[in-house]
Amino acid sequence: MPGSPPFPMTAPAQPLPYAGSLRRVLSLPALTLFGLVYMVPLTVFTTYGVVTQVTGGRTALAYLLTLLSIFFTALSYSRMVGRYPVAGSAYSYARKSFGPMAGFLAGWSLLLDYLFLPMINYLVIGIYLHQSFPQVPAWGFIVTMIALVTVFNVLGIQSVSRFGNVLVAAQLVFVLVFVALAARQIMTQSSVDLLAPWQGDGSAIGMAPVLAGAAILCLSFLGFDAVSTLAEEAREPHRDIPRAIIITTIAAGLLFILLAAISQLAFPGSRFQHADSAANEVMQRIAGPYFVSFFTASYVAGAFGSALASQASVSRILYSMGRDRVLPHRVFAGLSQRFNTPIWSILVVSLCSLLALVMDLATLASLISFGALVAFSVVNLAVIKTYLLDGKPHPFSAWLRYGLPAAIGFALTLWLWTSLSALTLQIGLAWLAAGMAYLLCLTRGLRKAVPTVQFDDSGS
């Protein structure tokens, strides 16, 4: 209608019932591909130079340790989403297991990595496109990509899913070409040390550098966590979300290890001219400048797809928290009547993403990992609380099925915690302190309960 706003809104006037609902349109293949889009099959090259330098050429080993750690946490996510198939991920699981206050702090920690993950995609897009087209400043590419991603997310999750599938296919084509050309390059070398990706070049001694690299690489596995945020848009959330989480984690982890190992064999050592764009040096060694251009196109497409998926996920976390009135509900719980998407949450994420104009890659990667490790710790503990500490006796088999994997996942997460840098811990703890301050204001010094709503846990 003439004179009406382009995206008419509905926002809940009361906590219950809330206005609108998300559409259940995603199947198991769509959920799995969404996770892969989010993780980006080529994400190994995002921090390849940084992690290779930190680990002394043992990026593949760092990925292996990260996969082993993340696998048990992925099992915990699958357990929790099977019990609570609702939007909100670790926020919802912590709230239902430990109460609204714990839920808020878990959600606040999730915001750290979910808000920053779109930024890291925009940042690497700017870095690589600026190298290819130096006449255009990096900020120009960043702002353009933010605008495009925002439009696609406003149009709806189906447009994100379908477009993302095309981007995954393009990246898989590149992976096949990369493996073939890298194998040719490796065979032409006078000597090949097949243990190099696992032993390194001697520039970093011991396992501490590998653990430091593994802590950074946690951000590569956030795709399985992103799948859990779509529980209210899955056709069969009880069945398909847990399966998609496990499939995404294993498939992506094995792919990351393969690409890291092949890259190390084709380009031995850990010295690069520019660590942030070290992948270009690897591609140049493998097949020359034309292959660098092919890589740039594929990588930028993948980063764009990840930005699409990551913005979709964080907007739904904001929507979930706004629906609970933990965040201002008239903004974050509002849905577009035309597209049925949380438009204001999407726009808030886009504005936050402009910080990519002023932040550096290493800082962003570390901060994302901090938020991820908080969420991973909470979800592992939530499994133990939900399935075993409910006041009922449980057989030993239940402790083996639920308790042991969650305990291992929690222990391995703590192990990765010890490898985060001091700066990362300082900023992350400051973020948590800000969240606690906001919570105190929200509850008037804990005299008022954190507001909640009742979700439909049936998955219908």
Side-chain angles (χ1 to χ4, degrees), residues 24-223:
R24 295 194 178 277
V25 297
L26 301 179
S27 62
L28 176 59
L31 292 166
T32 302
L33 285 172
F34 179 89
L36 291 175
V37 170
Y38 195 106
M39 297 168 98
V40 187
L42 300 183
T43 196
V44 62
F45 298 115
T46 300
T47 54
Y48 179 79
V50 173
V51 175
T52 299
Q53 288 187 341
V54 168
T55 61
R58 292 175 288 177
T59 301
L61 179 59
Y63 263 116
L64 177 60
L65 294 179
T66 308
L67 174 59
L68 292 175
S69 301
I70 296 301
F71 174 74
F72 289 99
T73 298
L75 285 176
S76 292
Y77 270 88
S78 69
R79 303 293 190 199
M80 293 306 298
V81 77
R83 177 67 67 89
Y84 303 121
V86 295
S89 188
Y91 160 64
S92 292
Y93 309 149
R95 184 176 64 80
K96 289 180 175 294
S97 300
F98 301 108
M101 186 178 300
F104 173 85
L105 292 177
W108 187 264
S109 299
L110 265 180
L111 289 181
L112 186 64
D113 55 91
Y114 273 96
L115 283 173
F116 283 3
L117 197 56
M119 293 183 210
I120 204 170
N121 286 299
Y122 298 129
L123 181 59
V124 295
I125 287 174
I127 290 172
Y128 282 97
L129 286 183
H130 177 62
Q131 284 197 344
S132 299
F133 306 98
Q135 65 273 23
V136 180
W139 66 263
F141 292 115
I142 292 173
V143 172
T144 300
M145 291 300 170
I146 291 175
L148 289 175
V149 167
T150 300
V151 170
F152 273 102
N153 269 291
V154 167
L155 293 178
I157 193 64
Q158 281 184 303
S159 66
V160 173
S161 179
R162 290 167 181 168
F163 189 67
N165 293 346
V166 175
L167 297 180
V168 168
Q171 291 177 82
L172 293 179
V173 170
F174 173 83
V175 167
L176 294 176
V177 176
F178 170 78
V179 171
L181 293 178
R184 185 188 66 179
Q185 166 67 23
I186 293 169
M187 288 187 292
T188 61
Q189 295 174 179
S190 58
S191 63
V192 179
D193 183 4
L194 296 179
L195 296 180
W198 318 104
Q199 295 180 343
D201 60 4
S203 62
I205 307 300
M207 288 299 295
V210 179
L211 291 176
I216 295 174
L217 294 177
C218 286
L219 68 92
S220 299
F221 288 87
L222 283 176

Side-chain angles (χ1 to χ4, degrees), residues 301-314:
F304 182 77
S306 180
L308 277 172
S310 57
Q311 188 184 59
S313 292
V314 69

Side-chain angles (χ1 to χ4, degrees), residues 33 278 384 424:
L33 285 172
I384 297 174
T424 299

Side-chain angles (χ1 to χ4, degrees), residues 377-397:
S377 301
V378 168
V379 174
N380 282 308
L381 293 176
V383 169
I384 297 174
K385 173 66 168 60
T386 300
Y387 284 91
L388 300 173
L389 303 181
D390 55 0
K392 302 177 183 178
H394 295 279
F396 183 69
S397 59

Side-chain angles (χ1 to χ4, degrees), residues 21 89 120 139 190 196 321 324 333 359 370 417 436:
S21 61
S89 188
I120 204 170
W139 66 263
S190 58
M321 296 180 74
D324 282 1
M359 298 193 72
F370 178 92
W417 268 102
M436 178 58 74

